[in-house]
Amino acid sequence: CVQPGTEGPQGQSLGKDGHSGRTGSSQCAPPTMPSPWSLHLWKAYLALAVLCYINLLNYMNWFIISGVLLDIQKFFHISDSHAGLLHTVFIGFLLLSAPVFGYLGDRHSRKAILSFGVLLWSVTGVSSSFISPQHSWLFFLSRGVMGVGTASYSTIAPTVLSDLFVQDQRTRMLGLFYVFIPVGSGLGYMLGSGVTEQTGDWRWALRIMPCLGAVAVILLILLVPDPPRGAAEKQVGVATGAPRSSWCQDVRDLWRNSSFVWSTLGVTCMSFVTGALGFWIPKFLFEARVVHGLQLPCFQEPCNSEDSLIFGLLTVLTGFFGVILGAEASRRFKKVNPRAEPLICATNLLATAPCLYLALILAPTSLLASYVRVAFQLLPAALSSLAALGLSFHDPVAELRRTAMPTAAHSVPQHRRLLCLAPLSSVPLGSQVS
């Protein structure tokens, strides 16, 4: 910024006599460094509470269909293979849109994207409840649109939290945030089956959720900030609009991160199994009760939804305690072994395999034993979910987290979650249960 010549210790040009002096036309004004972004801690906690509430609704919307799957099949007269297509469409739309929202979230207002997602799934959900049986294809399409809304929130919300908290505090806050995934999923089963039992019409379950979604949008707009990227790490260059790398460069950088790649592949394999389990297990348990003579087959709606209530309760309990125990185990074990997170994931995933196998094998002979094995399968899955997510968040740097989320953190099962990569593998299993 100064004319060529000898400079003083403060960057000022020296006159002929060696004394410092300024020439207004020959020296630029010194650059000003922006002050770091900051937020009161209580506001960060308030934003966390709002995001957790919306995350609860997000997964209630996701799995409310599974709780009333039998009624939907009877209403639209669809077979098991076509019922599996409901989830295929949902996941397919989510798969395609998640990278788009990851890209947009790194370059535009994340609060606007989050609000768009909540509004989209709320409006689509209530609209789908008025579709007639003659237009079942519209119901399938509506599930795809809801997948787009789910992708926008699931992709962006964790990155907002990662910019509000840092290091161990971030891990604890994300653990709390992800507790509401199994809780929301379980409540989705329970709400769908409970409302159907009380009203005799499964569609009323879809009409309740938009009211809660409207409250969520208001809270989101009023109480959730949009922190600059990397704000928690005080990365001024990232937070103040410094030149960013391209999306392709971000993907190449993530691909070179071997830990990130292998953890993503691992949790994708887990989602292959657990995704289909989350969608089909209520109906599987219902048919097991029919085999044991404890339940008559369902020929017309409303169908008995006791199994959805039981499975929803198991999901809530195992998910709540499993995610908390997994987060604490990861935090403590990491002080002793830096590879704590992958070891916790691997150990718990190995434990789920025999439990799931026994749950399927014992169903025709002992229904109680099958329920117990299902619960034991859910708990290790919950224990490993947050540790797997931690690998995705700790490995990429702050400016890559928005790109990493749609490709890795969204393939984390998060206690039976199919998100982005996993749907490709879980679709065949889900559609061939019949």
Side-chain angles (χ1 to χ4, degrees):
C1 288
V2 297
Q3 296 290 341
T6 307
E7 296 183 351
Q10 303 300 324
Q12 298 173 336
S13 60
L14 297 179
K16 294 180 180 180
D17 57 354
H19 297 289
S20 63
R22 291 180 182 272
T23 56
S25 61
S26 63
Q27 186 172 10
C28 300
T32 57
M33 293 298 293
S35 58
W37 186 86
S38 62
L39 183 71
H40 289 295
L41 187 60
W42 68 269
K43 291 185 178 180
Y45 284 130
L46 193 60
L48 170 67
V50 174
L51 292 175
C52 287
Y53 166 70
I54 303 177
N55 203 36
L56 182 79
L57 300 184
N58 188 21
Y59 284 89
M60 288 178 67
N61 260 317
W62 188 327
F63 284 93
I64 199 170
I65 292 296
S66 300
V68 292
L69 184 59
L70 277 169
D71 296 278
I72 293 175
Q73 289 185 259
K74 301 304 177 183
F75 182 81
F76 288 109
H77 308 290
I78 57 177
S79 62
D80 283 350
S81 59
H82 287 94
L85 187 61
L86 280 172
H87 209 47
T88 302
V89 172
F90 180 92
I91 295 301
F93 275 71
L94 190 152
L95 169 69
L96 295 175
S97 58
V100 175
F101 287 117
Y103 178 85
L104 295 176
D106 198 29
R107 290 156 178 81
H108 301 283
S109 171
R110 287 180 286 183
K111 181 186 287 191
I113 297 174
L114 293 175
S115 301
F116 166 78
V118 178
L119 284 174
L120 184 62
W121 87 53
S122 298
V123 173
T124 305
V126 70
S127 301
S128 65
S129 67
F130 294 99
I131 297 175
S132 64
Q134 293 76 22
H135 300 89
S136 59
W137 65 272
L138 279 176
F139 189 78
F140 284 82
L141 181 61
S142 71
R143 291 302 296 168
V145 176
M146 290 191 71
V148 175
T150 298
S152 66
Y153 185 82
S154 300
T155 302
I156 303 300
T159 71
V160 175
L161 287 178
S162 72
D163 286 332
L164 291 176
F165 303 96
V166 69
Q167 296 178 352
D168 287 344
Q169 190 181 33
R170 174 189 295 153
T171 301
R172 290 193 295 270
M173 296 305 106
L174 285 172
L176 180 60
F177 178 78
Y178 281 104
V179 162
F180 288 89
I181 293 181
V183 172
S185 302
L187 290 178
Y189 295 116
M190 299 171 71
L191 177 67
S193 58
V195 171
T196 301
E197 184 176 353
Q198 294 298 319
T199 63
D201 189 345
W202 61 271
R203 294 174 294 180
W204 279 105
L206 299 179
R207 296 167 186 170
I208 291 176
M209 295 303 300
C211 301
L212 303 176
V215 175
V217 173
I218 295 173
L219 294 176
L220 180 61
I221 294 174
L222 295 178
L223 302 178
V224 177
D226 193 355
R229 280 64 170 169
E233 288 90 350
K234 307 299 182 184
Q235 295 178 355
V236 178
V238 176
T240 57
R244 302 186 185 94
S245 59
S246 66
W247 184 80
C248 293
Q249 181 62 45
D250 290 347
V251 172
R252 284 195 295 268
D253 291 339
L254 290 174
W255 181 253
R256 296 189 186 104
N257 189 328
S258 59
S259 176
F260 176 83
V261 171
W262 284 110
S263 63
T264 301
L265 292 175
V267 296
T268 300
C269 293
M270 177 180 177
S271 295
F272 177 92
V273 178
T274 55
L277 173 66
F279 186 75
W280 288 107
I281 198 66
K283 183 174 182 179
F284 171 79
L285 294 174
F286 174 87
E287 294 183 350
R289 290 167 60 85
V290 173
V291 170
H292 285 276
L294 302 175
Q295 174 68 49
L296 294 175
C298 179
F299 297 105
Q300 63 180 8
E301 56 176 322
C303 300
N304 187 294
S305 54
E306 180 181 349
D307 298 288
S308 295
L309 285 170
I310 297 174
F311 184 69
L313 182 60
L314 287 176
T315 303
V316 171
L317 294 177
T318 57
F320 180 80
F321 292 107
V323 171
I324 292 178
L325 290 175
E328 186 63 19
S330 176
R331 187 182 69 85
R332 291 178 178 272
F333 190 29
K334 195 156 49 175
K335 296 177 181 179
V336 180
N337 190 330
R339 300 183 67 249
E341 288 170 335
L343 290 175
I344 289 174
C345 289
T347 302
N348 285 288
L349 291 180
L350 287 174
T352 62
C355 293
L356 177 59
Y357 176 78
L358 291 175
L360 298 176
I361 295 300
L362 295 176
T365 56
S366 175
L367 187 61
L368 178 60
S370 183
Y371 270 111
V372 172
R373 295 300 178 183
V374 167
F376 278 116
Q377 190 274 336
L378 294 176
L379 184 59
L383 282 166
S384 63
S385 61
L386 189 63
L389 182 69
L391 292 173
S392 301
F393 266 100
H394 295 317
D395 286 341
V397 294
E399 58 267 29
L400 294 181
R401 288 196 188 108
R402 264 66 63 188
T403 305
M405 278 303 298
T407 54
H410 273 42
S411 67
V412 174
Q414 299 161 354
H415 193 57
R416 300 180 346 276
R417 249 25 100 226
L418 287 132
L419 286 171
C420 185
L421 298 179
L424 289 177
S425 55
S426 53
V427 163
L429 183 60
S431 60
Q432 293 177 6
V433 171
S434 60

